Amino acid sequence: MTLKKTLTIAGSDTSAGAGMQADLKAFQEHGTYGMVALTVVVTMDPKTWSHTVTPLPTELLQKQIDTALSTGVDAIKTGMLSTEEIIQMASKAIQASGTDKIVIDPVMVCKGEDEVLNPGNTTAMIKYLLPHATVVTPNLFEAGQLAGTTTPKTIEQMQATAVKIHELGAKNVVIKGGKALVHDKAVDLFYNGVEFKLLETEKVSSTYNHGAGCTFAASICANLANGLTVEESVIEAKEFVSAAIKHGWALNEHVGPVMHGAKPRFGAPEVTVTTIPNYVKA
Ligand SMILES: Nc1ncnc2c1ncn2[C@@H]1O[C@H](COP(=O)(O)OP(=O)(O)O)[C@@H](O)[C@H]1O
Ligand SMILES: Cc1ncc(COP(=O)(O)O)c(C=O)c1O
Ligand SMILES: [Mg+2]
């Protein structure tokens, strides 16, 4: 039996809820063969849990990319890319890979940390990654940064932001309202350049949501590798991550990761999909 090969170009979250650890767990749960090209290692101060991001030498990243690509990957996801040089390397890897199943998770901050990784990276992501994105999965903050606007706060503002990000070259845009959007449901907005759909689940009141974004994007990537359509991939990923958040747990007093493999074990909350009227520019 052969498996579809999924590659993440991402950082290591040593606490293992997010980053490439989340990606590999989600890849595995979706029955794909997960591979990694590691960009940075994130470690935590045992007392304060403040994060330190340590980059790997770029030559080593390139060797990992070359190794993984030589096997013929079916889909690629990008996660934490800490410098413009690394963003360019990821872009070249995508173009050399021969696959058009590309999920860009434009990670700009770690949850629980306010500091933006490197503000110049946004411009590089726009230039080098968005034109190759089958799907891009910003949270509200990241969506505003990519679109060059303020952080969207309403569904209508999310629509305007999604249009701008689509114009930058991403074929499909999912803006994650998640926990941040003031709404009684966990709402994500899907835009494929033609129509808008709202994806909604129950909102879990837990704070054990570390790694939700990575798990969501990696699930989309695995679903694409397995041959699902973009929309099917996003809807299943939303089910998968909702279950993971619902069963999130306390790793220690500082962080609560999602339970990546919750859906196959406990089932998933229902995702409601509603087509909404197109946003008309004022
Ligand atoms: N409290 C919650 N209840 C249910 N779903 C959530 C909750 N928080 C986030 N989600 C969902 O998890 C996914 C990841 O979103 P989010 O946590 O906002 O991303 P990120 O980790 O990148 O900031 C999205 O599909 C979002 O709607
Ligand atoms: C290596 C790495 N990638 C990505 C993220 C973003 O995680 P999330 O899925 O919570 O957005 C983090 C957050 O700590 C991280 O450490
Ligand atoms: Mg994220």
Side-chain angles (χ1 to χ4, degrees), residues 143-278:
Q145 294 291 307
L146 290 174
T149 59
T150 51
T151 301
K153 290 194 173 57
T154 63
I155 304 282
E156 208 169 57
Q157 287 173 7
M158 286 164 77
Q159 285 183 284
T161 310
V163 169
K164 289 206 169 108
I165 297 172
H166 185 265
E167 283 169 0
L168 294 170
K171 290 177 197 66
N172 298 275
V173 182
V174 184
I175 301 185
K176 302 172 290 190
K179 213 174 146 180
L181 186 73
V182 182
H183 200 286
D184 55 348
K185 296 274 168 52
V187 185
D188 299 340
L189 177 73
F190 174 73
Y191 180 55
N192 58 12
V194 180
E195 55 183 0
F196 291 98
K197 295 193 178 179
L198 287 184
L199 274 49
E200 296 174 78
T201 57
E202 64 184 79
K203 193 177 242 179
V204 180
S205 62
S206 156
T207 53
Y208 303 145
N209 61 0
H210 179 63
C214 303
T215 303
F216 179 62
S219 301
I220 297 173
C221 178
N223 287 333
L224 290 175
N226 282 331
L228 272 63
T229 65
V230 171
E231 195 176 324
E232 287 166 351
S233 298
V234 172
I235 293 169
E236 192 287 331
K238 174 94 170 148
E239 286 174 5
F240 190 88
V241 76
S242 307
I245 296 169
K246 196 168 178 178
H247 295 275
W249 59 290
L251 177 67
N252 61 14
E253 70 272 37
H254 300 291
V255 66
V258 299
M259 187 185 287
H260 306 86
K263 182 185 165 191
R265 289 157 186 86
F266 308 116
E270 194 189 340
V271 176
T272 312
V273 183
T274 320
T275 305
I276 58 169
N278 271 6

Side-chain angles (χ1 to χ4, degrees), residues 48-69:
T48 63
W49 216 247
S50 80
H51 294 30
T52 303
V53 180
T54 307
L56 265 69
T58 47
E59 309 78 58
L60 184 54
L61 174 60
Q62 190 58 54
K63 283 183 185 166
Q64 297 175 75
I65 288 172
D66 294 343
T67 308
L69 291 189

Side-chain angles (χ1 to χ4, degrees), residues 11-13 18-19 42 51 80 107 109-111 209-215:
S12 164
D13 164 20
V42 181
H51 294 30
M80 188 180 279
V107 176
V109 280
C110 289
K111 256 197 211 101
N209 61 0
H210 179 63
C214 303
T215 303

